[in-house]
Amino acid sequence: VQLQAFGGGLVQAGESLTLSCAASGMIFRINGMGWYRQAPGKQRELVAVIPSGGSTIYTDSVKGRFTISRDNAKNTVYLRMNSLKPEDTGVYYCNADGLYSGTQGLRAFHSWGQGTLVTVSS
């Protein structure tokens, strides 16, 4: 299963940006989907996750500003980012796990997208 992320770019502080990530392949079911980010010189961190059922989870620094959502029919996850700050700068990676239809039946997958760069200028 492959993930492809879109939507990064250069914005000014206070502006908004929406990222999207589409999963493709012989997908049987997607369980959790999420977004992570890696700032320059720092480790990759969780931004938000959205399970197939249940509540979404956000890291404290983005609560009230970012919204994660998903379109199950399109196997796509979105991240709406409002009131962006310079500290939101980084490469954003999408992530998904679930089951795919392999040649020998259903198999689990855990895939990462290629990353999309978000730069917020002050």
Side-chain angles (χ1 to χ4, degrees), residues 45-116:
E45 65 171 352
L46 170 71
V47 176
V49 293
I50 181 168
S52 58
S55 300
T56 54
I57 299 172
Y58 297 91
T59 191
D60 286 346
S61 62
V62 307
K63 286 180 180 178
R65 299 188 297 122
F66 289 12
T67 302
I68 188 171
S69 61
R70 61 192 283 176
D71 184 334
N72 292 327
K74 296 181 179 179
N75 292 327
T76 299
V77 61
Y78 304 94
L79 186 69
R80 174 65 176 178
M81 305 182 292
N82 295 327
S83 302
L84 282 161
K85 303 176 181 180
E87 50 264 43
D88 295 318
T89 293
V91 178
Y92 283 68
Y93 298 90
C94 55
N95 169 279
D97 67 88
L99 297 173
Y100 72 96
S101 298
T103 56
Q104 296 183 338
L106 296 180
R107 292 289 185 268
F109 74 88
H110 186 188
S111 300
W112 289 90
Q114 83 282 11
T116 184

Side-chain angles (χ1 to χ4, degrees), residues 2 5 9 11 17 21 27 30 35 37 40-41 49 54 62 64-65 83 91 95 100 102 105 115-116 121:
Q2 295 183 334
V11 297
L17 206 58
C21 175
I27 298 169
I30 298 178
W35 289 95
R37 68 186 178 190
V49 293
V62 307
R65 299 188 297 122
S83 302
V91 178
N95 169 279
Y100 72 96
T116 184
S121 63

